[in-house]
Structure formats: structure tokens, C-alpha cells
Amino acid sequence: MKTKAVLEFADVTAIAAAAQAEAAKNSWAVSIAIVDDGGHLLSFQRLDGAAPISSHIAPGKARTAALGRRESKVYEDMINGGRVSFLSAPNLDALLEGGVPIMKDGQCLGAVGVSGVKSNEDAQIAKAGIAAIGL
């Protein structure tokens, strides 16, 4: 039997705080979602001024990154490259940049999804959150 690392509440809190700080530093109004490796919501923040739709998109980006074990941008690039049939993939509903998996020793612990600004800025916020736990 193998041993697997999991996100603890303290990890989730640290990720959320660092992601929020990155957004605030840049005056970005976003929604931030953190999920476990199965895509189940662990934390959600909709910052002041964030568009209501971002509260649906951020968890979707996080879920997509966690279930796929890769950044959600990979799927966006696939579709933009002409593989539009990937739009029918089940349970992946936010195939846009801004979902980043939380990886440790080759294993996915979960993911952070952000929505509300340009997609590359969403990813920047997610990565800043993940960096708070040294990953």
C-alpha cells in the first residue's frame, strides 16, 4: 500500500491567503477556488468586485486541473489548436487557463482555480497561492 500526501486545512488556508494577497497586490477582483484531488471544493472566495460568473468559473477551472492533473490551459490550447471534440469531455467544464494543479512528488493533491481577470493573471494568482506551501 502506498502513502499519499493530502492537503490539510492549514495548507488550504495558506494557499487561499497567498492567492488573495496576490490579487489584492494587483487590485484584481477575482474568485478563488481550491479543491482536493477529486475536484471537491475545499475553499472558495469571491473578492469584492468580482463578477458573479467568476464564482462558477473558478471552481470549474480548479476541478478541471485536479481531475486532469495538469493546468487547465493545456485543454484550452488543445481546443484552440483544433481539437474541438475535447469540448465534449465529461466533468471538465472550464477548459480555460487559470486552473493549476497542486503537485507533490508526482502526485496531485488538488488544484487552485481563479477567474476574474486575464487568464494568464488568473494563473499567476493560483501559482502564488500554491507557492505559499512550498510547492
Side-chain angles (χ1 to χ4, degrees), residues 92-106:
L92 302 180
D93 56 1
L95 305 173
L96 305 164
E97 183 176 8
V100 180
I102 303 166
M103 303 295 292
K104 180 177 177 157
D105 300 328

Side-chain angles (χ1 to χ4, degrees), residues 29-30 46-52:
V30 297
R46 183 173 149 206
L47 306 185
D48 293 342

Side-chain angles (χ1 to χ4, degrees), residues 21-35:
E22 181 70 14
K25 177 178 83 173
N26 292 288
S27 299
W28 291 335
V30 297
S31 289
I32 303 164
I34 303 169
V35 300

Side-chain angles (χ1 to χ4, degrees), residues 115-133:
S115 178
V117 287
K118 294 177 183 175
S119 290
N120 64 309
E121 295 167 345
D122 289 340
Q124 176 184 328
I125 294 166
K127 290 174 183 176
I130 295 166
I133 60 168

Side-chain angles (χ1 to χ4, degrees), residues 34-42 59 62-64 66-67 69 110:
I34 303 169
V35 300
D36 66 12
D37 61 336
H40 305 100
L41 193 62
L42 298 173
R63 190 171 36 260
T64 296
L67 295 176
R69 312 297 199 244

